[in-house]
Amino acid sequence: MAGRYEISDQGWALIEDIVSPGTPAGRGRPRRDDRQMLNGIFWILCSGAKWRDLPERFGPWKTVYQRFRQWRDDGTLERSLSRLHLKLREDGYMDLDTWMVDSTSIRATRSAAGGGKKGALENGVGHALGRSRGGLTTKIHLVCDANGVPLSFLLSPGQHADSRYLVPVMEQIRLPGHTGRPRKRCRHLLADRGYDSDRLRRYCDRYGIRPTIRHRQMHRRPKPGLPRLFERPRYRRRNVIERLFGWMKEKRRLCTRYDKLAKSYRAMVTLACIERCLRVYFSDRA
């Protein structure tokens, strides 16, 4: 029986072969239990405490932190999330027709600054830290389905516009399946006024996606052709992603950024997505 902040037996069975593939016995100290280490990382994610304050039942804090760095750098967390996406898609828990995109701003502490150039994001925005009205902030750009399953996310400095990251976050979606190509597109995309631009609507048209995007309150020049209709009943379903952000911000390691490196904070967001997928998968099971 798993305790608070700890992964359940059923959830561990889904990702055990990825997180703990097993290594042949060798010299030196025996390897600490991977499930115990993962539970310690989940405790840090939910409590927001410093690594040094990790309870003794999870083992030495330095070992847990080193295991976090290892899984962060070798792609273990991303592979675990991809495995859960596969299970959710196979068992019918994922909505492949209606997706939604939005962003949220995360306040960063003073200790999060000064990460240096090493480990910066690939798109040249440093460690996804920027100054906006709220001070030093980071934005999480997220795509989820109509069931609240997180599909993909990106980090950016807090002052960057939402519309700038819709195409990149959509392009990195790869939902695997046992047969055929990975699913990359949806039929309907819901977004708020921050994504109202002709460039993004043309992107949706190119791939057969029907955008449901709220229009901005501004004067527009009349354009030839039929006007774009706004489906208000479908747009009301966008509260799913707002509730998802609310749930993610209950994780104290996410609602405030303490990590200097963007890849460390990204790993924490990935862990939250893994926990969310597990909750969706086992929500209606005894």
Side-chain angles (χ1 to χ4, degrees), residues 260-278:
K260 289 180 180 291
L261 302 183
K263 60 181 180 180
S264 294
Y265 188 70
R266 177 182 176 85
M268 287 294 176
V269 180
T270 304
L271 281 166
C273 293
I274 290 174
E275 183 179 352
R276 181 67 179 185
C277 289
L278 290 172

Side-chain angles (χ1 to χ4, degrees), residues 20-286:
S20 183
T23 55
R27 297 180 180 178
R29 296 180 180 179
R31 180 182 174 88
R32 286 274 182 174
D33 181 60
D34 289 301
R35 182 175 178 179
Q36 182 187 25
M37 299 292 103
L38 183 60
N39 288 334
I41 297 172
F42 274 124
W43 187 89
I44 293 291
L45 169 68
C46 297
S47 67
K50 296 182 179 180
W51 290 99
R52 293 177 180 270
D53 298 332
L54 190 71
E56 294 181 358
R57 69 177 184 271
F58 298 115
W61 73 267
K62 287 186 178 180
T63 306
V64 179
Y65 177 63
Q66 290 297 331
R67 200 67 55 85
F68 167 75
R69 292 183 58 182
Q70 174 188 341
W71 291 337
R72 177 198 68 187
D73 296 336
D74 64 8
T76 297
L77 301 180
E78 287 74 13
R79 291 195 299 272
S80 299
L81 182 59
S82 181
R83 167 69 63 80
L84 295 176
H85 282 163
L86 174 62
K87 295 295 295 182
L88 288 169
R89 180 179 176 182
E90 285 182 340
D91 295 349
Y93 290 94
M94 185 178 292
D95 191 330
L96 300 177
D97 292 333
T98 303
W99 297 349
M100 51 204 72
V101 60
D102 203 354
S103 70
T104 186
S105 295
I106 304 296
R107 184 69 180 270
T109 62
R110 184 178 59 180
S111 61
K117 296 182 179 179
K118 186 177 180 180
L121 292 182
E122 295 80 3
N123 54 9
V125 293
H127 289 280
L129 283 173
R131 293 197 176 273
S132 60
R133 292 182 179 180
L136 199 63
T137 55
T138 294
K139 267 188 179 180
I140 302 176
H141 304 267
L142 179 72
V143 177
C144 76
D145 72 347
N147 297 326
V149 177
L151 306 179
S152 174
F153 71 91
L154 284 175
L155 303 181
S156 76
Q159 76 275 15
H160 284 193
D162 295 350
S163 58
R164 178 175 174 179
Y165 290 89
L166 185 143
V167 175
V169 75
M170 289 287 292
E171 286 297 318
Q172 73 175 17
I173 295 178
R174 299 288 188 276
L175 301 179
H178 278 313
T179 58
R181 298 180 180 178
R183 183 68 178 264
K184 300 190 295 183
R185 313 294 179 196
C186 60
R187 296 182 180 178
H188 301 273
L189 182 65
L190 314 183
D192 60 12
R193 290 190 179 96
Y195 300 90
D196 181 22
S197 72
D198 293 335
R199 179 179 65 87
L200 298 182
R201 294 179 186 275
R202 289 194 298 269
Y203 168 81
C204 294
D205 293 341
R206 186 183 312 127
Y207 295 105
I209 302 173
R210 186 168 183 176
T212 303
I213 303 176
R214 194 69 178 265
H215 293 284
R216 295 180 181 177
Q217 300 293 336
M218 62 181 185
H219 177 72
R220 293 177 177 270
R221 296 178 57 184
K223 296 183 178 181
L226 296 175
R228 292 185 179 270
L229 301 179
F230 179 72
E231 299 180 73
R232 189 176 297 274
R234 186 181 296 276
Y235 183 78
R236 292 196 181 112
R237 301 177 64 185
R238 204 185 65 83
N239 69 85
V240 172
I241 194 170
E242 301 288 355
R243 299 202 308 269
L244 176 58
F245 275 133
W247 176 87
M248 293 178 68
K249 286 187 175 183
E250 292 179 0
K251 312 299 179 184
R252 296 189 176 183
R253 199 76 182 193
L254 294 188
C255 65
T256 302
R257 175 173 171 178
Y258 302 99
D259 301 284
K260 289 180 180 291
L261 302 183
K263 60 181 180 180
S264 294
Y265 188 70
R266 177 182 176 85
M268 287 294 176
V269 180
T270 304
L271 281 166
C273 293
I274 290 174
E275 183 179 352
R276 181 67 179 185
C277 289
L278 290 172
R279 288 173 64 92
V280 172
Y281 190 75
F282 296 107
S283 60
D284 59 346
R285 305 190 182 197

Side-chain angles (χ1 to χ4, degrees), residues 7 11-20 38 80 83-84 274:
I7 189 170
W12 175 248
L14 292 178
I15 61 176
E16 180 180 5
D17 59 328
I18 299 177
V19 177
S20 183
L38 183 60
S80 299
R83 167 69 63 80
L84 295 176
I274 290 174

